[in-house]
Amino acid sequence: MKQLIIAILMITSVGTAHAQEITGSWKGNLDAGPQQLEMIFNFSKSQDGNNQCTIDVPAQGAQGIPAQLLHLSADSVSLQVPAIGMSYAGKLTNQTIRGTFRQGPVTLPFELKPGKAAAPVRPQEPKAPYPYATEEVTFSNPAANATLAGTLTLPVGYKAGKRVPVVLMVTGSGPQTRTEGVFGHKPFLVLADYLARNGIASLRYDDRGVGQSTGTFTGTTSQGFADDAKAGLNYLRQRRQFGPVGVLGHSEGGLIAFMLGAERAADFIVSMAGPGIKGDTLLAEQVNANLQLYGRPATQSVQNLRSELASKPQDAWMNYFIDCDPAVYISRVSIPLMAVNGSKDHQVLPGSNLKAIRELQQSGNKLNLIKEYEGLNHLFQHCTTGGADEYYKIEETMATEVMADIAAWVNEIKDKR
């Protein structure tokens, strides 16, 4: 859940200089104790000719963070990002900007050199030409005045009249495109490719108000996103070319899968790191897990968390989420359900969430599969600590064993219908 990740630091940088001048992109590695963060400051001119700067932090999945330029000359720069309480000031000498980075109580030396971030290595991402057909499609949720744009991927060797299973993919929290792009990875693109090579169609779409989809993202709750997903399921059924129609959701998308499963809007559901416990409890657990990961005591409580959130500007999505109890939905799911987690998931902890799902589904469908994968994180990558700072660095996008189990389980559902 991108919105739920506890950011440790966010920052800035820019690079590509000509002679002794601060312009283009400059990058540097900020030594932030337990991790080093590569930051890129991008200096350019706006359409009206004014200087501007944006900041990228690839390891945190942050791009284009707008910075306020307080001063920019041929050999010095000063800027700030008030939203995160960060500032930077430096002077250019011999093609190196030497300066000081500040954020809250943290003050660190920070050097920048001309250059852009290297493209991350992602060996699992499929490259065209693909051995299967894809189709750009749209479907609508009229109640929200939203048209969702997506990609329908058909299996290898698909022929009209072949009733293959299909899954609708629902992203995690935060504005996401159809690839579920996060930390330099494209999990849904990789998964759609794997499923297509194993006889399963899929539809993945841009969230409302994101990418090519219309509608308003801000202020929409999980229920609103569930309504969008239900419209997608209805669209797939109306095409009358598929066998069982399922929904596969990651993180918040897993919650949405439970919501739709409870009302039998789908024939089966796959919840990948979906929550099984109430939102406020999940967030408190997440905070404590991340504190412990960095050697600090687990001091967050549900009461304190709710007090902290109440003191901040109110957010409709968060207000809904902290009050949402997935048990209401999970207990009503009677269709086949697959729920999976990684043992090193520090965002949706398997110990509490999978336990709750198992208990709520004790009398569930005989085809249910509830499984914890050893050594995998929230993105289902093989990892060391499971911390969010590893997501970008890991080349693997999604563990093959997880994708293989999903494909095998969905095909079993098809065969037993």
Side-chain angles (χ1 to χ4, degrees):
M1 295 182 179
K2 238 164 87 171
Q3 283 183 342
L4 308 183
I5 293 171
I6 299 160
I8 298 170
L9 283 171
M10 294 184 76
I11 259 186
T12 81
S13 192
V14 176
T16 311
H18 303 285
Q20 203 53 20
E21 184 181 4
I22 298 176
T23 186
S25 294
W26 297 70
K27 65 179 181 179
N29 290 311
L30 184 72
D31 188 351
Q35 63 175 318
Q36 284 204 343
L37 287 177
E38 183 183 48
M39 301 174 192
I40 299 92
F41 290 53
N42 304 292
F43 297 98
S44 62
K45 296 281 188 181
S46 64
Q47 289 186 345
D48 57 10
N50 292 323
N51 292 317
Q52 62 184 8
C53 176
T54 61
I55 298 166
D56 302 333
V57 190
Q60 293 187 338
Q63 289 186 321
I65 302 168
Q68 292 182 4
L69 277 172
L70 305 177
H71 171 77
L72 180 65
S73 65
D75 65 352
S76 61
V77 60
S78 175
L79 55 81
Q80 63 181 7
V81 184
I84 58 173
M86 175 237 133
S87 66
Y88 177 74
K91 188 171 181 61
L92 174 61
T93 307
N94 297 326
Q95 294 301 304
T96 300
I97 302 174
R98 295 177 174 85
T100 302
F101 165 85
R102 292 184 173 87
Q103 186 177 30
V106 177
T107 299
L108 297 169
F110 189 35
E111 292 187 356
L112 300 169
K113 293 180 180 294
K116 298 181 179 181
V121 178
R122 301 291 183 251
Q124 290 178 300
E125 284 189 13
K127 302 292 189 295
Y130 309 118
Y132 47 78
T134 62
E135 181 183 345
E136 299 304 294
V137 303
T138 60
F139 58 92
S140 299
N141 177 1
N145 194 28
T147 297
L148 293 309
T151 300
L152 178 67
T153 301
L154 298 171
V156 172
Y158 175 80
K159 294 181 180 179
K162 189 176 183 180
R163 307 284 286 182
V164 299
V166 62
V167 295
L168 178 82
M169 298 185 179
V170 184
T171 66
S173 59
Q176 308 237 345
T177 65
R178 67 195 72 184
T179 66
E180 203 194 24
V182 59
F183 296 97
H185 290 278
K186 299 176 181 177
F188 279 4
L189 173 64
V190 170
L191 181 56
D193 176 81
Y194 189 94
L195 295 179
R197 295 171 189 270
N198 286 273
I200 301 166
S202 65
L203 173 57
R204 48 197 171 85
Y205 59 96
D206 301 334
D207 291 344
R208 65 165 74 173
V210 178
Q212 297 178 36
S213 293
T214 66
T216 303
F217 184 92
T218 303
T220 304
T221 67
S222 299
Q223 181 60 63
F225 294 125
D227 293 340
D228 291 346
K230 188 175 181 179
L233 292 172
N234 291 338
Y235 167 78
L236 290 172
R237 292 190 190 283
Q238 290 166 4
R239 288 183 66 110
R240 300 183 182 279
Q241 68 184 104
F242 300 110
V245 178
V247 57
L248 177 151
H250 176 231
S251 204
E252 183 193 11
L255 168 63
I256 290 169
F258 292 140
M259 296 167 75
L260 297 175
E263 57 179 283
R264 300 183 69 88
D267 298 318
F268 63 89
I269 61 175
V270 180
S271 174
M272 302 181 68
I277 59 177
K278 191 175 177 182
D280 56 4
T281 306
L282 182 144
L283 290 183
E285 281 194 349
Q286 182 186 110
V287 172
N288 285 328
N290 281 276
L291 287 171
Q292 291 177 315
L293 184 63
Y294 294 103
R296 298 170 62 186
T299 56
Q300 183 64 283
S301 68
V302 171
Q303 182 178 0
N304 287 342
L305 181 135
R306 294 188 75 102
S307 295
E308 291 169 7
L309 291 174
S311 67
K312 297 178 179 180
Q314 294 304 289
D315 176 84
W317 181 89
M318 182 62 76
N319 290 341
Y320 182 95
F321 184 81
I322 61 175
D323 287 333
C324 182
D325 188 352
V328 173
Y329 308 107
I330 299 170
S331 61
R332 291 163 43 202
V333 175
S334 59
I335 61 175
L337 172 156
M338 179 177 183
V340 295
N341 260 97
S343 68
K344 293 187 176 181
D345 187 337
H346 295 300
Q347 292 178 240
V348 180
L349 279 64
S352 55
N353 288 278
L354 277 189
K355 179 176 181 291
I357 295 168
R358 286 193 180 98
E359 291 175 351
L360 292 163
Q361 280 286 304
Q362 282 183 351
S363 301
N365 195 285
K366 64 181 181 180
L367 294 177
N368 282 1
L369 174 61
I370 301 173
K371 183 174 181 179
E372 178 178 333
Y373 291 84
E374 183 61 35
L376 302 188
N377 60 22
H378 186 63
L379 300 187
F380 294 90
Q381 302 167 304
H382 290 91
C383 62
T384 302
T385 69
D389 58 311
E390 293 183 325
Y391 295 164
Y392 181 84
K393 300 173 186 176
I394 297 171
E395 294 183 1
E396 177 184 60
T397 295
M398 188 179 296
T400 302
E401 60 264 36
V402 176
M403 295 191 289
D405 282 351
I406 292 171
W409 186 79
V410 172
N411 280 320
E412 182 183 9
I413 299 298
K414 174 200 67 175
D415 294 339
K416 293 192 175 181
R417 276 175 64 87

